PDB file of all heavy atoms in Angstrom:
ATOM      1  N   ASP A   1      -8.654  -2.313   5.147  1.00  0.00           N
ATOM      2  CA  ASP A   1      -8.731  -2.519   6.594  1.00  0.00           C
ATOM      3  C   ASP A   1      -8.421  -3.971   6.947  1.00  0.00           C
ATOM      4  O   ASP A   1      -7.716  -4.251   7.922  1.00  0.00           O
ATOM      5  CB  ASP A   1     -10.120  -2.143   7.112  1.00  0.00           C
ATOM      6  CG  ASP A   1     -10.384  -0.650   7.039  1.00  0.00           C
ATOM      7  OD1 ASP A   1      -9.405   0.120   7.053  1.00  0.00           O
ATOM      8  OD2 ASP A   1     -11.561  -0.252   6.959  1.00  0.00           O
ATOM      9  N   GLU A   2      -8.962  -4.878   6.150  1.00  0.00           N
ATOM     10  CA  GLU A   2      -8.716  -6.298   6.367  1.00  0.00           C
ATOM     11  C   GLU A   2      -7.230  -6.611   6.250  1.00  0.00           C
ATOM     12  O   GLU A   2      -6.646  -7.275   7.115  1.00  0.00           O
ATOM     13  CB  GLU A   2      -9.508  -7.093   5.318  1.00  0.00           C
ATOM     14  CG  GLU A   2      -9.745  -8.543   5.632  1.00  0.00           C
ATOM     15  CD  GLU A   2     -10.810  -9.116   4.700  1.00  0.00           C
ATOM     16  OE1 GLU A   2     -12.002  -8.967   5.012  1.00  0.00           O
ATOM     17  OE2 GLU A   2     -10.438  -9.684   3.666  1.00  0.00           O
ATOM     18  N   ALA A   3      -6.619  -6.130   5.183  1.00  0.00           N
ATOM     19  CA  ALA A   3      -5.201  -6.398   4.950  1.00  0.00           C
ATOM     20  C   ALA A   3      -4.330  -5.839   6.067  1.00  0.00           C
ATOM     21  O   ALA A   3      -3.411  -6.505   6.559  1.00  0.00           O
ATOM     22  CB  ALA A   3      -4.776  -5.813   3.609  1.00  0.00           C
ATOM     23  N   PHE A   4      -4.622  -4.622   6.494  1.00  0.00           N
ATOM     24  CA  PHE A   4      -3.777  -3.966   7.495  1.00  0.00           C
ATOM     25  C   PHE A   4      -3.955  -4.571   8.879  1.00  0.00           C
ATOM     26  O   PHE A   4      -3.055  -4.500   9.708  1.00  0.00           O
ATOM     27  CB  PHE A   4      -4.065  -2.464   7.521  1.00  0.00           C
ATOM     28  CG  PHE A   4      -3.270  -1.693   6.508  1.00  0.00           C
ATOM     29  CD1 PHE A   4      -3.486  -1.860   5.152  1.00  0.00           C
ATOM     30  CD2 PHE A   4      -2.288  -0.803   6.902  1.00  0.00           C
ATOM     31  CE1 PHE A   4      -2.752  -1.172   4.210  1.00  0.00           C
ATOM     32  CE2 PHE A   4      -1.540  -0.099   5.974  1.00  0.00           C
ATOM     33  CZ  PHE A   4      -1.777  -0.288   4.621  1.00  0.00           C
ATOM     34  N   SER A   5      -5.085  -5.190   9.144  1.00  0.00           N
ATOM     35  CA  SER A   5      -5.344  -5.710  10.491  1.00  0.00           C
ATOM     36  C   SER A   5      -4.741  -7.082  10.735  1.00  0.00           C
ATOM     37  O   SER A   5      -4.513  -7.454  11.892  1.00  0.00           O
ATOM     38  CB  SER A   5      -6.856  -5.763  10.748  1.00  0.00           C
ATOM     39  OG  SER A   5      -7.472  -6.753   9.945  1.00  0.00           O
ATOM     40  N   ILE A   6      -4.445  -7.840   9.691  1.00  0.00           N
ATOM     41  CA  ILE A   6      -4.040  -9.233   9.905  1.00  0.00           C
ATOM     42  C   ILE A   6      -2.674  -9.594   9.348  1.00  0.00           C
ATOM     43  O   ILE A   6      -2.164 -10.670   9.643  1.00  0.00           O
ATOM     44  CB  ILE A   6      -5.086 -10.205   9.312  1.00  0.00           C
ATOM     45  CG1 ILE A   6      -5.215 -10.016   7.804  1.00  0.00           C
ATOM     46  CG2 ILE A   6      -6.426 -10.061   9.997  1.00  0.00           C
ATOM     47  CD1 ILE A   6      -6.197 -10.994   7.163  1.00  0.00           C
ATOM     48  N   SER A   7      -2.038  -8.722   8.581  1.00  0.00           N
ATOM     49  CA  SER A   7      -0.858  -9.128   7.806  1.00  0.00           C
ATOM     50  C   SER A   7       0.457  -8.834   8.516  1.00  0.00           C
ATOM     51  O   SER A   7       0.596  -7.825   9.215  1.00  0.00           O
ATOM     52  CB  SER A   7      -0.846  -8.399   6.451  1.00  0.00           C
ATOM     53  OG  SER A   7      -2.075  -8.536   5.789  1.00  0.00           O
ATOM     54  N   ASP A   8       1.429  -9.717   8.301  1.00  0.00           N
ATOM     55  CA  ASP A   8       2.816  -9.395   8.642  1.00  0.00           C
ATOM     56  C   ASP A   8       3.374  -8.420   7.612  1.00  0.00           C
ATOM     57  O   ASP A   8       3.996  -7.415   7.951  1.00  0.00           O
ATOM     58  CB  ASP A   8       3.677 -10.658   8.665  1.00  0.00           C
ATOM     59  CG  ASP A   8       3.313 -11.587   9.802  1.00  0.00           C
ATOM     60  OD1 ASP A   8       3.043 -11.101  10.917  1.00  0.00           O
ATOM     61  OD2 ASP A   8       3.287 -12.809   9.582  1.00  0.00           O
ATOM     62  N   ARG A   9       3.155  -8.760   6.337  1.00  0.00           N
ATOM     63  CA  ARG A   9       3.532  -7.869   5.238  1.00  0.00           C
ATOM     64  C   ARG A   9       2.426  -7.867   4.195  1.00  0.00           C
ATOM     65  O   ARG A   9       1.601  -8.780   4.132  1.00  0.00           O
ATOM     66  CB  ARG A   9       4.850  -8.307   4.580  1.00  0.00           C
ATOM     67  CG  ARG A   9       6.089  -8.057   5.409  1.00  0.00           C
ATOM     68  CD  ARG A   9       7.355  -8.257   4.587  1.00  0.00           C
ATOM     69  NE  ARG A   9       7.446  -9.617   4.067  1.00  0.00           N
ATOM     70  CZ  ARG A   9       8.110  -9.952   2.960  1.00  0.00           C
ATOM     71  NH1 ARG A   9       8.713  -9.024   2.222  1.00  0.00           N
ATOM     72  NH2 ARG A   9       8.159 -11.213   2.557  1.00  0.00           N
ATOM     73  N   ILE A  10       2.452  -6.824   3.364  1.00  0.00           N
ATOM     74  CA  ILE A  10       1.459  -6.662   2.307  1.00  0.00           C
ATOM     75  C   ILE A  10       2.189  -6.403   0.996  1.00  0.00           C
ATOM     76  O   ILE A  10       3.159  -5.640   0.952  1.00  0.00           O
ATOM     77  CB  ILE A  10       0.524  -5.471   2.606  1.00  0.00           C
ATOM     78  CG1 ILE A  10      -0.243  -5.716   3.908  1.00  0.00           C
ATOM     79  CG2 ILE A  10      -0.444  -5.225   1.452  1.00  0.00           C
ATOM     80  CD1 ILE A  10      -1.023  -4.496   4.382  1.00  0.00           C
ATOM     81  N   ALA A  11       1.718  -7.069  -0.070  1.00  0.00           N
ATOM     82  CA  ALA A  11       2.188  -6.770  -1.421  1.00  0.00           C
ATOM     83  C   ALA A  11       1.056  -6.058  -2.151  1.00  0.00           C
ATOM     84  O   ALA A  11      -0.029  -6.621  -2.306  1.00  0.00           O
ATOM     85  CB  ALA A  11       2.593  -8.045  -2.157  1.00  0.00           C
ATOM     86  N   ILE A  12       1.292  -4.823  -2.572  1.00  0.00           N
ATOM     87  CA  ILE A  12       0.294  -4.043  -3.298  1.00  0.00           C
ATOM     88  C   ILE A  12       0.430  -4.329  -4.782  1.00  0.00           C
ATOM     89  O   ILE A  12       1.502  -4.133  -5.368  1.00  0.00           O
ATOM     90  CB  ILE A  12       0.471  -2.529  -3.061  1.00  0.00           C
ATOM     91  CG1 ILE A  12       0.538  -2.217  -1.569  1.00  0.00           C
ATOM     92  CG2 ILE A  12      -0.640  -1.750  -3.742  1.00  0.00           C
ATOM     93  CD1 ILE A  12      -0.738  -2.361  -0.841  1.00  0.00           C
ATOM     94  N   LEU A  13      -0.666  -4.791  -5.420  1.00  0.00           N
ATOM     95  CA  LEU A  13      -0.654  -5.094  -6.846  1.00  0.00           C
ATOM     96  C   LEU A  13      -1.525  -4.107  -7.605  1.00  0.00           C
ATOM     97  O   LEU A  13      -2.567  -3.664  -7.117  1.00  0.00           O
ATOM     98  CB  LEU A  13      -1.165  -6.513  -7.122  1.00  0.00           C
ATOM     99  CG  LEU A  13      -0.159  -7.662  -6.995  1.00  0.00           C
ATOM    100  CD1 LEU A  13       0.121  -7.960  -5.535  1.00  0.00           C
ATOM    101  CD2 LEU A  13      -0.669  -8.908  -7.703  1.00  0.00           C
ATOM    102  N   ASP A  14      -1.104  -3.798  -8.810  1.00  0.00           N
ATOM    103  CA  ASP A  14      -1.924  -3.023  -9.747  1.00  0.00           C
ATOM    104  C   ASP A  14      -1.479  -3.365 -11.160  1.00  0.00           C
ATOM    105  O   ASP A  14      -0.267  -3.479 -11.425  1.00  0.00           O
ATOM    106  CB  ASP A  14      -1.766  -1.517  -9.499  1.00  0.00           C
ATOM    107  CG  ASP A  14      -2.644  -0.695 -10.426  1.00  0.00           C
ATOM    108  OD1 ASP A  14      -3.858  -0.992 -10.504  1.00  0.00           O
ATOM    109  OD2 ASP A  14      -2.133   0.239 -11.070  1.00  0.00           O
ATOM    110  N   ASP A  15      -2.443  -3.570 -12.028  1.00  0.00           N
ATOM    111  CA  ASP A  15      -2.153  -3.854 -13.431  1.00  0.00           C
ATOM    112  C   ASP A  15      -1.194  -5.024 -13.587  1.00  0.00           C
ATOM    113  O   ASP A  15      -0.324  -5.015 -14.464  1.00  0.00           O
ATOM    114  CB  ASP A  15      -1.598  -2.592 -14.106  1.00  0.00           C
ATOM    115  CG  ASP A  15      -1.692  -2.654 -15.620  1.00  0.00           C
ATOM    116  OD1 ASP A  15      -2.567  -3.386 -16.140  1.00  0.00           O
ATOM    117  OD2 ASP A  15      -0.885  -1.967 -16.299  1.00  0.00           O
ATOM    118  N   GLY A  16      -1.345  -6.022 -12.708  1.00  0.00           N
ATOM    119  CA  GLY A  16      -0.581  -7.251 -12.855  1.00  0.00           C
ATOM    120  C   GLY A  16       0.813  -7.258 -12.291  1.00  0.00           C
ATOM    121  O   GLY A  16       1.526  -8.249 -12.431  1.00  0.00           O
ATOM    122  N   VAL A  17       1.234  -6.163 -11.654  1.00  0.00           N
ATOM    123  CA  VAL A  17       2.592  -6.120 -11.096  1.00  0.00           C
ATOM    124  C   VAL A  17       2.545  -5.618  -9.653  1.00  0.00           C
ATOM    125  O   VAL A  17       1.596  -4.953  -9.238  1.00  0.00           O
ATOM    126  CB  VAL A  17       3.538  -5.226 -11.927  1.00  0.00           C
ATOM    127  CG1 VAL A  17       3.725  -5.795 -13.318  1.00  0.00           C
ATOM    128  CG2 VAL A  17       3.015  -3.798 -11.990  1.00  0.00           C
ATOM    129  N   ILE A  18       3.590  -5.948  -8.907  1.00  0.00           N
ATOM    130  CA  ILE A  18       3.701  -5.488  -7.518  1.00  0.00           C
ATOM    131  C   ILE A  18       4.236  -4.068  -7.496  1.00  0.00           C
ATOM    132  O   ILE A  18       5.290  -3.775  -8.064  1.00  0.00           O
ATOM    133  CB  ILE A  18       4.616  -6.430  -6.712  1.00  0.00           C
ATOM    134  CG1 ILE A  18       3.963  -7.803  -6.564  1.00  0.00           C
ATOM    135  CG2 ILE A  18       4.914  -5.833  -5.340  1.00  0.00           C
ATOM    136  CD1 ILE A  18       4.830  -8.822  -5.862  1.00  0.00           C
ATOM    137  N   LYS A  19       3.522  -3.181  -6.818  1.00  0.00           N
ATOM    138  CA  LYS A  19       3.930  -1.788  -6.708  1.00  0.00           C
ATOM    139  C   LYS A  19       4.749  -1.508  -5.453  1.00  0.00           C
ATOM    140  O   LYS A  19       5.570  -0.602  -5.435  1.00  0.00           O
ATOM    141  CB  LYS A  19       2.695  -0.887  -6.704  1.00  0.00           C
ATOM    142  CG  LYS A  19       1.888  -0.924  -7.988  1.00  0.00           C
ATOM    143  CD  LYS A  19       2.652  -0.340  -9.157  1.00  0.00           C
ATOM    144  CE  LYS A  19       1.780  -0.218 -10.393  1.00  0.00           C
ATOM    145  NZ  LYS A  19       2.513   0.400 -11.529  1.00  0.00           N
ATOM    146  N   GLN A  20       4.489  -2.270  -4.391  1.00  0.00           N
ATOM    147  CA  GLN A  20       5.251  -2.097  -3.149  1.00  0.00           C
ATOM    148  C   GLN A  20       5.011  -3.295  -2.250  1.00  0.00           C
ATOM    149  O   GLN A  20       3.924  -3.861  -2.220  1.00  0.00           O
ATOM    150  CB  GLN A  20       4.840  -0.804  -2.420  1.00  0.00           C
ATOM    151  CG  GLN A  20       5.690  -0.496  -1.186  1.00  0.00           C
ATOM    152  CD  GLN A  20       5.394   0.861  -0.574  1.00  0.00           C
ATOM    153  OE1 GLN A  20       4.585   1.624  -1.105  1.00  0.00           O
ATOM    154  NE2 GLN A  20       6.039   1.181   0.531  1.00  0.00           N
ATOM    155  N   VAL A  21       6.043  -3.677  -1.517  1.00  0.00           N
ATOM    156  CA  VAL A  21       5.943  -4.723  -0.505  1.00  0.00           C
ATOM    157  C   VAL A  21       6.489  -4.162   0.801  1.00  0.00           C
ATOM    158  O   VAL A  21       7.554  -3.533   0.819  1.00  0.00           O
ATOM    159  CB  VAL A  21       6.748  -5.978  -0.893  1.00  0.00           C
ATOM    160  CG1 VAL A  21       6.630  -7.039   0.202  1.00  0.00           C
ATOM    161  CG2 VAL A  21       6.281  -6.539  -2.229  1.00  0.00           C
ATOM    162  N   GLY A  22       5.769  -4.382   1.890  1.00  0.00           N
ATOM    163  CA  GLY A  22       6.251  -3.898   3.175  1.00  0.00           C
ATOM    164  C   GLY A  22       5.288  -4.219   4.289  1.00  0.00           C
ATOM    165  O   GLY A  22       4.220  -4.796   4.066  1.00  0.00           O
ATOM    166  N   THR A  23       5.661  -3.847   5.503  1.00  0.00           N
ATOM    167  CA  THR A  23       4.756  -3.997   6.624  1.00  0.00           C
ATOM    168  C   THR A  23       3.616  -2.993   6.481  1.00  0.00           C
ATOM    169  O   THR A  23       3.757  -1.981   5.768  1.00  0.00           O
ATOM    170  CB  THR A  23       5.472  -3.748   7.955  1.00  0.00           C
ATOM    171  OG1 THR A  23       5.873  -2.366   8.014  1.00  0.00           O
ATOM    172  CG2 THR A  23       6.693  -4.648   8.101  1.00  0.00           C
ATOM    173  N   PRO A  24       2.480  -3.239   7.128  1.00  0.00           N
ATOM    174  CA  PRO A  24       1.392  -2.258   7.051  1.00  0.00           C
ATOM    175  C   PRO A  24       1.838  -0.841   7.436  1.00  0.00           C
ATOM    176  O   PRO A  24       1.485   0.128   6.772  1.00  0.00           O
ATOM    177  CB  PRO A  24       0.358  -2.817   8.041  1.00  0.00           C
ATOM    178  CG  PRO A  24       0.574  -4.286   7.999  1.00  0.00           C
ATOM    179  CD  PRO A  24       2.059  -4.464   7.855  1.00  0.00           C
ATOM    180  N   GLY A  25       2.642  -0.733   8.492  1.00  0.00           N
ATOM    181  CA  GLY A  25       3.101   0.589   8.914  1.00  0.00           C
ATOM    182  C   GLY A  25       3.976   1.267   7.888  1.00  0.00           C
ATOM    183  O   GLY A  25       3.844   2.463   7.620  1.00  0.00           O
ATOM    184  N   ASP A  26       4.887   0.502   7.286  1.00  0.00           N
ATOM    185  CA  ASP A  26       5.779   1.068   6.270  1.00  0.00           C
ATOM    186  C   ASP A  26       5.002   1.559   5.058  1.00  0.00           C
ATOM    187  O   ASP A  26       5.258   2.653   4.532  1.00  0.00           O
ATOM    188  CB  ASP A  26       6.804   0.020   5.818  1.00  0.00           C
ATOM    189  CG  ASP A  26       7.871  -0.241   6.869  1.00  0.00           C
ATOM    190  OD1 ASP A  26       8.030   0.603   7.772  1.00  0.00           O
ATOM    191  OD2 ASP A  26       8.531  -1.292   6.796  1.00  0.00           O
ATOM    192  N   ILE A  27       4.065   0.744   4.608  1.00  0.00           N
ATOM    193  CA  ILE A  27       3.312   1.110   3.412  1.00  0.00           C
ATOM    194  C   ILE A  27       2.453   2.340   3.660  1.00  0.00           C
ATOM    195  O   ILE A  27       2.372   3.237   2.819  1.00  0.00           O
ATOM    196  CB  ILE A  27       2.451  -0.075   2.938  1.00  0.00           C
ATOM    197  CG1 ILE A  27       3.359  -1.156   2.316  1.00  0.00           C
ATOM    198  CG2 ILE A  27       1.394   0.359   1.931  1.00  0.00           C
ATOM    199  CD1 ILE A  27       2.644  -2.422   1.925  1.00  0.00           C
ATOM    200  N   TYR A  28       1.827   2.398   4.828  1.00  0.00           N
ATOM    201  CA  TYR A  28       0.969   3.551   5.117  1.00  0.00           C
ATOM    202  C   TYR A  28       1.783   4.832   5.264  1.00  0.00           C
ATOM    203  O   TYR A  28       1.408   5.877   4.733  1.00  0.00           O
ATOM    204  CB  TYR A  28       0.161   3.305   6.397  1.00  0.00           C
ATOM    205  CG  TYR A  28      -0.900   4.355   6.627  1.00  0.00           C
ATOM    206  CD1 TYR A  28      -2.124   4.275   5.972  1.00  0.00           C
ATOM    207  CD2 TYR A  28      -0.667   5.439   7.469  1.00  0.00           C
ATOM    208  CE1 TYR A  28      -3.096   5.239   6.153  1.00  0.00           C
ATOM    209  CE2 TYR A  28      -1.631   6.406   7.656  1.00  0.00           C
ATOM    210  CZ  TYR A  28      -2.840   6.306   7.005  1.00  0.00           C
ATOM    211  OH  TYR A  28      -3.792   7.281   7.181  1.00  0.00           O
ATOM    212  N   SER A  29       2.897   4.737   5.963  1.00  0.00           N
ATOM    213  CA  SER A  29       3.679   5.950   6.249  1.00  0.00           C
ATOM    214  C   SER A  29       4.591   6.356   5.106  1.00  0.00           C
ATOM    215  O   SER A  29       4.875   7.549   4.939  1.00  0.00           O
ATOM    216  CB  SER A  29       4.530   5.727   7.514  1.00  0.00           C
ATOM    217  OG  SER A  29       3.724   5.458   8.627  1.00  0.00           O
ATOM    218  N   ASN A  30       5.048   5.386   4.312  1.00  0.00           N
ATOM    219  CA  ASN A  30       6.025   5.686   3.263  1.00  0.00           C
ATOM    220  C   ASN A  30       5.647   5.020   1.949  1.00  0.00           C
ATOM    221  O   ASN A  30       6.339   4.090   1.491  1.00  0.00           O
ATOM    222  CB  ASN A  30       7.425   5.223   3.698  1.00  0.00           C
ATOM    223  CG  ASN A  30       7.901   5.926   4.949  1.00  0.00           C
ATOM    224  OD1 ASN A  30       8.156   7.125   4.931  1.00  0.00           O
ATOM    225  ND2 ASN A  30       8.013   5.183   6.036  1.00  0.00           N
ATOM    226  N   PRO A  31       4.562   5.461   1.312  1.00  0.00           N
ATOM    227  CA  PRO A  31       4.186   4.889   0.018  1.00  0.00           C
ATOM    228  C   PRO A  31       5.293   5.107  -0.997  1.00  0.00           C
ATOM    229  O   PRO A  31       5.902   6.171  -1.051  1.00  0.00           O
ATOM    230  CB  PRO A  31       2.911   5.655  -0.354  1.00  0.00           C
ATOM    231  CG  PRO A  31       2.973   6.924   0.442  1.00  0.00           C
ATOM    232  CD  PRO A  31       3.676   6.575   1.714  1.00  0.00           C
ATOM    233  N   ALA A  32       5.545   4.081  -1.824  1.00  0.00           N
ATOM    234  CA  ALA A  32       6.685   4.121  -2.734  1.00  0.00           C
ATOM    235  C   ALA A  32       6.409   4.901  -4.010  1.00  0.00           C
ATOM    236  O   ALA A  32       7.339   5.327  -4.696  1.00  0.00           O
ATOM    237  CB  ALA A  32       7.105   2.699  -3.092  1.00  0.00           C
ATOM    238  N   ASN A  33       5.137   5.070  -4.357  1.00  0.00           N
ATOM    239  CA  ASN A  33       4.806   5.720  -5.625  1.00  0.00           C
ATOM    240  C   ASN A  33       3.396   6.299  -5.550  1.00  0.00           C
ATOM    241  O   ASN A  33       2.685   6.118  -4.547  1.00  0.00           O
ATOM    242  CB  ASN A  33       4.932   4.717  -6.777  1.00  0.00           C
ATOM    243  CG  ASN A  33       4.215   3.401  -6.470  1.00  0.00           C
ATOM    244  OD1 ASN A  33       2.995   3.383  -6.313  1.00  0.00           O
ATOM    245  ND2 ASN A  33       4.971   2.321  -6.356  1.00  0.00           N
ATOM    246  N   ALA A  34       3.000   6.976  -6.618  1.00  0.00           N
ATOM    247  CA  ALA A  34       1.711   7.679  -6.620  1.00  0.00           C
ATOM    248  C   ALA A  34       0.537   6.721  -6.513  1.00  0.00           C
ATOM    249  O   ALA A  34      -0.471   7.035  -5.863  1.00  0.00           O
ATOM    250  CB  ALA A  34       1.591   8.533  -7.877  1.00  0.00           C
ATOM    251  N   PHE A  35       0.639   5.533  -7.140  1.00  0.00           N
ATOM    252  CA  PHE A  35      -0.480   4.602  -7.047  1.00  0.00           C
ATOM    253  C   PHE A  35      -0.723   4.171  -5.614  1.00  0.00           C
ATOM    254  O   PHE A  35      -1.844   4.192  -5.119  1.00  0.00           O
ATOM    255  CB  PHE A  35      -0.250   3.364  -7.915  1.00  0.00           C
ATOM    256  CG  PHE A  35      -1.292   2.309  -7.667  1.00  0.00           C
ATOM    257  CD1 PHE A  35      -2.555   2.434  -8.222  1.00  0.00           C
ATOM    258  CD2 PHE A  35      -1.041   1.227  -6.833  1.00  0.00           C
ATOM    259  CE1 PHE A  35      -3.557   1.487  -7.959  1.00  0.00           C
ATOM    260  CE2 PHE A  35      -2.016   0.281  -6.560  1.00  0.00           C
ATOM    261  CZ  PHE A  35      -3.284   0.419  -7.126  1.00  0.00           C
ATOM    262  N   VAL A  36       0.334   3.737  -4.933  1.00  0.00           N
ATOM    263  CA  VAL A  36       0.183   3.287  -3.547  1.00  0.00           C
ATOM    264  C   VAL A  36      -0.312   4.430  -2.668  1.00  0.00           C
ATOM    265  O   VAL A  36      -1.194   4.246  -1.819  1.00  0.00           O
ATOM    266  CB  VAL A  36       1.509   2.714  -3.012  1.00  0.00           C
ATOM    267  CG1 VAL A  36       1.387   2.355  -1.533  1.00  0.00           C
ATOM    268  CG2 VAL A  36       1.923   1.492  -3.818  1.00  0.00           C
ATOM    269  N   ALA A  37       0.234   5.617  -2.873  1.00  0.00           N
ATOM    270  CA  ALA A  37      -0.174   6.772  -2.059  1.00  0.00           C
ATOM    271  C   ALA A  37      -1.653   7.074  -2.207  1.00  0.00           C
ATOM    272  O   ALA A  37      -2.340   7.384  -1.226  1.00  0.00           O
ATOM    273  CB  ALA A  37       0.650   7.992  -2.447  1.00  0.00           C
ATOM    274  N   SER A  38      -2.175   6.986  -3.419  1.00  0.00           N
ATOM    275  CA  SER A  38      -3.585   7.309  -3.648  1.00  0.00           C
ATOM    276  C   SER A  38      -4.500   6.146  -3.285  1.00  0.00           C
ATOM    277  O   SER A  38      -5.643   6.353  -2.862  1.00  0.00           O
ATOM    278  CB  SER A  38      -3.814   7.705  -5.107  1.00  0.00           C
ATOM    279  OG  SER A  38      -3.435   6.658  -5.986  1.00  0.00           O
ATOM    280  N   PHE A  39      -3.995   4.904  -3.399  1.00  0.00           N
ATOM    281  CA  PHE A  39      -4.814   3.733  -3.132  1.00  0.00           C
ATOM    282  C   PHE A  39      -4.991   3.477  -1.640  1.00  0.00           C
ATOM    283  O   PHE A  39      -6.080   3.153  -1.174  1.00  0.00           O
ATOM    284  CB  PHE A  39      -4.188   2.505  -3.802  1.00  0.00           C
ATOM    285  CG  PHE A  39      -4.933   1.220  -3.551  1.00  0.00           C
ATOM    286  CD1 PHE A  39      -6.197   1.025  -4.091  1.00  0.00           C
ATOM    287  CD2 PHE A  39      -4.375   0.214  -2.775  1.00  0.00           C
ATOM    288  CE1 PHE A  39      -6.896  -0.162  -3.873  1.00  0.00           C
ATOM    289  CE2 PHE A  39      -5.062  -0.977  -2.545  1.00  0.00           C
ATOM    290  CZ  PHE A  39      -6.326  -1.159  -3.094  1.00  0.00           C
ATOM    291  N   ILE A  40      -3.932   3.635  -0.884  1.00  0.00           N
ATOM    292  CA  ILE A  40      -3.970   3.322   0.547  1.00  0.00           C
ATOM    293  C   ILE A  40      -4.525   4.510   1.325  1.00  0.00           C
ATOM    294  O   ILE A  40      -3.953   5.601   1.327  1.00  0.00           O
ATOM    295  CB  ILE A  40      -2.568   2.952   1.068  1.00  0.00           C
ATOM    296  CG1 ILE A  40      -2.069   1.688   0.380  1.00  0.00           C
ATOM    297  CG2 ILE A  40      -2.584   2.776   2.581  1.00  0.00           C
ATOM    298  CD1 ILE A  40      -2.912   0.464   0.632  1.00  0.00           C
ATOM    299  N   GLY A  41      -5.639   4.277   1.996  1.00  0.00           N
ATOM    300  CA  GLY A  41      -6.201   5.303   2.865  1.00  0.00           C
ATOM    301  C   GLY A  41      -6.666   6.553   2.156  1.00  0.00           C
ATOM    302  O   GLY A  41      -6.741   7.627   2.756  1.00  0.00           O
ATOM    303  N   ASP A  42      -6.990   6.440   0.858  1.00  0.00           N
ATOM    304  CA  ASP A  42      -7.423   7.615   0.090  1.00  0.00           C
ATOM    305  C   ASP A  42      -6.415   8.759   0.185  1.00  0.00           C
ATOM    306  O   ASP A  42      -6.777   9.923   0.344  1.00  0.00           O
ATOM    307  CB  ASP A  42      -8.794   8.099   0.567  1.00  0.00           C
ATOM    308  CG  ASP A  42      -9.883   7.073   0.316  1.00  0.00           C
ATOM    309  OD1 ASP A  42      -9.836   6.434  -0.742  1.00  0.00           O
ATOM    310  OD2 ASP A  42     -10.764   6.916   1.170  1.00  0.00           O
ATOM    311  N   GLY A  43      -5.130   8.411   0.102  1.00  0.00           N
ATOM    312  CA  GLY A  43      -4.098   9.438   0.209  1.00  0.00           C
ATOM    313  C   GLY A  43      -4.173  10.443  -0.923  1.00  0.00           C
ATOM    314  O   GLY A  43      -4.550  10.128  -2.049  1.00  0.00           O
ATOM    315  N   ASN A  44      -3.818  11.675  -0.622  1.00  0.00           N
ATOM    316  CA  ASN A  44      -3.816  12.740  -1.621  1.00  0.00           C
ATOM    317  C   ASN A  44      -2.483  12.774  -2.356  1.00  0.00           C
ATOM    318  O   ASN A  44      -1.423  12.673  -1.733  1.00  0.00           O
ATOM    319  CB  ASN A  44      -4.034  14.096  -0.932  1.00  0.00           C
ATOM    320  CG  ASN A  44      -5.372  14.162  -0.231  1.00  0.00           C
ATOM    321  OD1 ASN A  44      -6.409  13.961  -0.847  1.00  0.00           O
ATOM    322  ND2 ASN A  44      -5.350  14.447   1.073  1.00  0.00           N
ATOM    323  N   VAL A  45      -2.540  12.916  -3.661  1.00  0.00           N
ATOM    324  CA  VAL A  45      -1.343  13.066  -4.479  1.00  0.00           C
ATOM    325  C   VAL A  45      -1.451  14.380  -5.229  1.00  0.00           C
ATOM    326  O   VAL A  45      -2.418  14.620  -5.951  1.00  0.00           O
ATOM    327  CB  VAL A  45      -1.180  11.898  -5.472  1.00  0.00           C
ATOM    328  CG1 VAL A  45       0.028  12.126  -6.375  1.00  0.00           C
ATOM    329  CG2 VAL A  45      -1.026  10.584  -4.713  1.00  0.00           C
ATOM    330  N   ILE A  46      -0.467  15.251  -5.037  1.00  0.00           N
ATOM    331  CA  ILE A  46      -0.465  16.571  -5.673  1.00  0.00           C
ATOM    332  C   ILE A  46       0.722  16.656  -6.617  1.00  0.00           C
ATOM    333  O   ILE A  46       1.871  16.437  -6.209  1.00  0.00           O
ATOM    334  CB  ILE A  46      -0.378  17.692  -4.620  1.00  0.00           C
ATOM    335  CG1 ILE A  46      -1.562  17.595  -3.638  1.00  0.00           C
ATOM    336  CG2 ILE A  46      -0.355  19.063  -5.293  1.00  0.00           C
ATOM    337  CD1 ILE A  46      -1.447  18.548  -2.465  1.00  0.00           C
TER     338      ILE A  46
END
């Protein structure tokens, strides 16, 4: 919530590497991979 409320862009990190970079809207609506999809907003991955 903190990241999405104040950022121009967000870089999502996991295991020492960047998984996706984008605006809050882009990342929420179009996650690039399963990690980002499940991490952001408790997204479901099937």
Side-chain angles (χ1 to χ4, degrees):
D1 291 335
E2 199 166 275
F4 274 67
S5 69
I6 62 178
S7 309
D8 292 320
R9 288 191 300 154
I10 298 171
I12 308 289
L13 276 75
D14 182 51
D15 199 25
V17 296
I18 293 176
K19 296 294 187 178
Q20 186 173 357
V21 179
T23 66
D26 287 342
I27 287 175
Y28 189 82
S29 299
N30 299 292
N33 48 64
F35 171 78
V36 175
S38 59
F39 178 68
I40 297 298
D42 296 321
N44 298 303
V45 176
I46 302 172

